[in-house]
Amino acid sequence: MSLLLSRRDLNFLLYEWLDATTLTSRSRYAQHDRESFDAVLDTAEKIATDFFAPHNRLSDDHEPRFDGKQVLLPAEIKTAIDAFNAAGLIAAAQDELIGGMQLPTVFDKAAMAYFLAANCATAAYPFLTIGNANLLLAHGTDDQIHRFVTPMMEGRFFGTMCLSEPQAGSSLADIKSRAEPDADDKNCYRLFGNKMWISAGEHSLSENIVHLVLARLPDAPAGVKGISLFIVPKFLVGDDGSVGEQNDVVLAGLNHKMGFRGTTNCLLNFGEGKFQPNGRAGAVAYLVGEPHRGLSIMFHMMNEARIGVGLGAAMLGYTGYLHALDYAKNRPQGRTIQNKDPQSPQIPIIDHADVRRMLLAQKSYVEGALALNLYCAKLVDEEKTEPDESIRKQTTLLLDILTPIAKSWPSQWCLEANSLAIQVLGGYGYTRDFPLEQFYRDNRLNAIHEGTHGIQGLDLLGRKVVMQEGAAFKLLGARIRRTIEQAQQSCDTDTVQFSQALAAKVGHLAAVTKVLWAAGDLNRTLANASIYLEAFGHVVLAWIWLEQSVCARKNAQDNNDDFYHGKWQACRYYFVYELPKVGPMLDLLSTLDTTTLDMQPEWF
C-alpha cells in the first residue's frame, strides 16, 4: 500500500462521491474518460513515488545555499521536476492550444496530491508556476502569454508571486515598491523595490523565472487601491521567445525555514543597480491588466494558491497518517488490559484503544480535508464549463465562501493529525529516523503563508458571509440542508442522528452570525473572527463527512466492505468527538466578548 495516498479513497472521492466522470459531458473535457483519468493518476503516483519521495529527506537536510553566484540545490530536485514536466503534468489542465491536456481541475489536483504528499518542497516549484500561468492566461495580453506562459507550460520557465515586503508583511497597503514608465519603451516600466518571503524566487532549475510583482505607479493613490501588477522576468525575453540579458533582479538573501527547506525562500531586490538592462536603471517590468487593479488581479493566483495550500496541508497530514497506520499495524508492544501474563506475546499497538483513537482522529481530519479540497476543485470545473450563467454565478459564490475554509481548516487540523502521528510512534516519532517530524515541520508553514488564520477569519466573517447581502452564506446553507434531507431518508440510525446534529449546528451558526453583525461595532464583530473561522470550518467538514457517509451507504453492496466501514466510523468519530466542539465556540461568539479588545499592550 502506498504511504502517500490511499488510491481506494481517491477513487471513492472522485468516482463515487463527486461522480467526476460526468464532467466528460462538457465539450472541454469530452476527449477524456475513466481510462484517461486513471492513466494520469497512475503516472502521477509513479513519478511522485520514484522521483519526488526519495529526496524528501535529502532536500530537508541540505537546504538551499548561495555561493555568491548561484543558489545550490540537490541535483535530485531538478531530476524530479524534469520528470514532472516530461509527463506533461505542468500543463495538464491547460488548453490543447498551448500544449495542455484539458484535464478537469479536479483530476489535476488529485494528481498533484501525490506530489504534495511525496515532497511538498519540490512540488512548490511547479505549483507556483501553474498559478502564475493561470493568472496571465486570465489577465495577460497575447504577447505576454506568448513570451511567458508558453515557456512555462513547456517547463522552460518557472514562476513566482512577489507580494510581501520587509516593512509591510501581510499589510499590502503599505508596500513601497514602485514602477516608473520607461522613457525609451512605452510598453514597459522600470521597477524598484524589495520583496520578502518569495518562494522559488531564485534557483537554476529553469531557463528563466517569471516574477509577478505588486508595485505602485507614480500617480497611484494610497492604500490597496493604488497597487498595480507587473511581470518582471529574471532574464529579458525577446520577441521570438529567446532568453536574453539579466534583468535587474538580485537575490539579497535566503530565509532559513523550519520546514519546506527544499524550496528557496528569498529576499529579492529589484532595480538596485547591479544590472543595467538595456543600459538603464531599474528592473524591466510589464504591466498586467489595468493600472491600480493589481491586487484584485493578484487574487486570481492568491485564491488558487489558498486552495492549493489547503490541499498541501491535507496531503502532509494524509501521508503522516498512513505512516503512523503502517507503524501501528507492525509494531508489537504491550498486551491487552486483561492479559497480565508477561510471557505471552506482545500485541500490535493498533490493538490498543488509545492508538485507535489517535488514528481515527487523523483519518477523520485528513480524509475530510482531501474531500473538501477536491470538492472545491470540481467547483472550479463547473465554474469554467457550466453553460447556465445563473448556476455559474452560484458556483462562484460557493468557491468564494469555501476558500478560507479550504485553506485554513486543513492547515490547522491536518497539522494536528501530524502531531498525533508522532504520538502514535512515541519516542521514535520524535526522532529523525522516521519522517513524521519533518511532515510536522513542513505542515506548520501552511497556517502562515497565503494568509494566516487571522486573515482568513477576517475575510470569512468580515466579507464573505455578508457579501451580496449574505448570498454565499445562504447558498452554502441550502447545500448543507439538501445533504441533511438526503441523510434523513436513511434507514441507518446513526446517519439520521448525525443529520439532526448538523442541522442544529447550522442553525446555531446562522443565529450567531446575525448576532455578530447586529453588534453595531466592527471591532467587536471581528474581535474573535479566528474562532468563527474554526467553528464555521468544523460545520463545513461535518457536512463533507455526512456527504461521504451517505454515499458510502448508497454504494455498499453488502455490510462486509472494510473500506465503507472505515468511512462510516470516521464519520461517526467526527460527529461524536469533533462537531460538539462547535457549540461552546458559538456560545462564546454570541456574547460579543471583548476580553482580547480590552487587553492593553502594557499589561502583557
Side-chain angles (χ1 to χ4, degrees):
M1 183 183 72
S2 171
L3 295 182
L4 301 179
L5 171 60
S6 164
R7 185 61 175 270
R8 178 67 182 89
D9 185 32
L10 191 60
N11 286 343
F12 169 78
L13 295 175
L14 292 171
Y15 299 124
E16 296 181 51
W17 175 47
L18 293 174
D19 197 14
T21 52
T22 58
L23 289 168
T24 59
S25 65
R26 309 283 173 88
S27 59
R28 178 175 179 82
Y29 309 127
Q31 73 274 32
H32 289 290
D33 54 22
R34 172 73 183 262
E35 184 178 359
S36 67
F37 294 147
D38 282 344
V40 170
L41 296 176
D42 290 344
T43 299
E45 181 176 6
K46 180 169 179 55
I47 295 174
T49 302
D50 293 348
F51 292 96
F52 279 66
H55 73 271
N56 193 40
R57 173 52 58 86
L58 176 69
S59 62
D60 184 65
D61 288 338
H62 300 277
E63 61 181 308
R65 182 169 57 87
F66 184 53
D67 67 359
K69 295 182 179 180
Q70 63 179 339
V71 172
L72 303 178
L73 294 168
E76 288 82 353
I77 294 179
K78 181 165 175 52
T79 301
I81 288 175
D82 286 347
F84 183 94
N85 291 337
L89 293 172
I90 200 161
Q94 304 299 344
D95 292 351
E96 291 179 341
L97 290 175
I98 58 172
M101 304 180 195
Q102 293 187 193
L103 190 71
T105 303
V106 66
F107 287 98
D108 183 48
K109 298 309 178 188
M112 183 60 75
Y114 279 107
F115 299 100
L116 293 168
N119 192 319
C120 61
T122 294
Y125 295 99
F127 170 83
L128 287 162
T129 301
I130 292 166
N132 182 306
N134 285 337
L135 182 149
L136 291 176
L137 286 168
H139 299 282
T141 65
D142 290 343
D143 180 64
Q144 289 169 350
I145 292 170
H146 168 70
R147 289 198 194 200
F148 303 110
V149 176
T150 300
M152 282 194 274
M153 293 300 95
E154 294 170 349
R156 293 172 46 226
F157 292 6
F158 279 3
T160 75
M161 55 195 302
C162 301
L163 286 69
S164 299
E165 296 180 5
Q167 82 291 342
S170 298
S171 180
L172 297 179
D174 297 315
I175 66 171
K176 296 180 179 179
S177 294
R178 71 185 196 280
E180 302 171 355
D182 190 316
D184 299 327
D185 187 345
K186 63 185 177 81
N187 295 316
C188 67
Y189 295 78
R190 293 289 171 149
L191 194 140
F192 304 84
N194 315 101
K195 292 294 180 178
M196 185 66 160
W197 310 118
I198 309 308
S199 296
E202 177 58 32
H203 55 75
S204 300
L205 299 171
S206 57
E207 296 176 30
N208 205 352
I209 303 174
V210 180
H211 301 290
L212 290 176
V213 185
L214 294 181
R216 297 184 183 281
L217 291 167
D219 61 344
V224 296
K225 293 182 179 179
I227 297 174
S228 298
L229 180 63
F230 299 87
I231 299 169
V232 186
K234 177 180 177 180
F235 297 101
L236 301 187
V237 179
D239 293 339
D240 60 355
S242 60
V243 175
E245 67 176 305
Q246 167 85 52
N247 203 357
D248 199 5
V249 183
V250 178
L251 177 69
L254 292 171
N255 298 305
H256 301 283
K257 300 171 294 178
M258 173 178 166
F260 262 83
R261 291 177 176 171
T263 309
T264 58
N265 192 272
C266 310
L267 172 61
L268 297 178
N269 291 346
F270 295 85
E272 71 170 19
K274 182 174 181 178
F275 299 96
Q276 297 279 320
N278 297 330
R280 294 192 60 242
V284 174
Y286 307 92
L287 180 68
V288 179
E290 298 176 13
H292 316 317
R293 291 196 64 249
L295 187 57
S296 63
I297 295 172
M298 193 72 240
F299 265 107
H300 188 287
M301 184 174 180
M302 289 167 65
N303 283 331
E304 180 178 335
R306 285 173 175 175
I307 295 176
V309 166
L311 179 61
M315 295 319 302
L316 282 166
Y318 207 125
T319 187
Y321 159 64
L322 292 179
H323 278 80
L325 177 62
D326 181 66
Y327 183 91
K329 287 181 175 181
N330 294 287
R331 165 67 171 173
Q333 184 175 313
R335 294 163 185 84
T336 62
I337 294 175
Q338 297 87 351
N339 184 2
K340 306 298 183 182
D341 182 4
Q343 301 299 318
S344 62
Q346 292 184 316
I347 60 174
I349 62 172
I350 199 170
D351 289 341
H352 297 295
D354 194 57
V355 172
R356 291 201 298 273
R357 174 191 65 82
M358 292 188 285
L359 291 170
L360 193 50
Q362 293 172 65
K363 181 180 175 70
S364 76
Y365 300 154
V366 304
E367 291 185 8
L370 175 59
L372 172 62
N373 275 274
L374 291 179
Y375 180 86
C376 289
K378 192 184 178 194
L379 288 179
V380 172
D381 289 317
E382 293 172 354
E383 184 183 40
K384 186 183 297 183
T385 62
E386 170 57 52
D388 188 318
E389 183 180 0
S390 64
I391 296 177
R392 285 202 310 275
K393 289 180 178 179
Q394 289 186 351
T395 303
T396 300
L397 284 173
L398 276 177
L399 266 174
D400 281 345
I401 199 166
L402 287 175
T403 294
I405 307 300
K407 189 275 181 189
S408 286
W409 196 93
S411 299
Q412 179 177 358
W413 293 98
C414 293
L415 179 68
E416 175 61 19
N418 288 134
S419 179
L420 288 170
I422 290 172
Q423 192 73 14
V424 168
L425 270 67
Y428 287 115
Y430 200 63
T431 70
R432 303 203 73 189
D433 297 316
F434 291 85
L436 282 303
E437 60 86 28
Q438 184 186 343
F439 297 154
Y440 185 94
R441 287 186 291 104
D442 287 342
N443 214 352
R444 184 60 185 84
L445 178 60
N446 288 314
I448 299 172
H449 66 179
E450 301 309 327
T452 62
H453 287 327
I455 289 172
Q456 302 301 328
L458 291 171
D459 180 48
L460 177 65
L461 178 56
R463 192 168 74 89
K464 297 296 178 61
V465 301
V466 292
M467 66 183 184
Q468 298 182 34
E469 299 182 341
F473 186 77
K474 294 172 186 175
L475 179 61
L476 178 60
R479 291 291 176 97
I480 295 175
R481 284 190 291 274
R482 186 171 69 186
T483 302
I484 290 170
E485 291 171 1
Q486 293 172 348
Q488 289 176 345
Q489 304 303 313
S490 174
C491 297
D492 176 70
T493 303
D494 275 357
T495 303
V496 174
Q497 290 178 345
F498 298 158
S499 68
Q500 294 168 346
L502 180 55
K505 291 296 185 290
V506 170
H508 195 182
L509 177 64
V512 169
T513 303
K514 289 181 180 179
V515 170
L516 290 169
W517 277 105
D521 181 346
L522 194 60
N523 286 327
R524 294 185 73 187
T525 297
L526 299 178
N528 293 306
S530 291
I531 296 175
Y532 182 85
L533 174 74
E534 186 173 343
F536 198 116
H538 254 48
V539 170
V540 167
L541 265 293
W543 166 53
I544 293 295
W545 266 114
L546 189 60
E547 282 258 323
Q548 290 188 76
S549 180
V550 169
C551 177
R553 294 202 178 276
K554 176 183 176 182
N555 292 348
Q557 299 299 312
D558 55 54
N559 208 33
N560 296 316
D561 191 314
D562 288 340
F563 174 81
Y564 291 129
H565 274 291
K567 282 292 180 187
W568 297 326
Q569 201 69 3
C571 179
R572 179 179 179 81
Y573 176 89
Y574 194 88
F575 274 84
V576 173
Y577 286 77
E578 293 296 332
L579 187 61
K581 296 176 181 177
V582 171
M585 288 189 280
L586 293 176
D587 290 341
L588 170 63
L589 289 164
S590 67
T591 67
L592 293 166
D593 182 73
T594 61
T595 299
T596 55
L597 283 175
D598 296 339
M599 183 63 180
Q600 300 300 306
E602 297 78 15
W603 298 350
F604 283 100

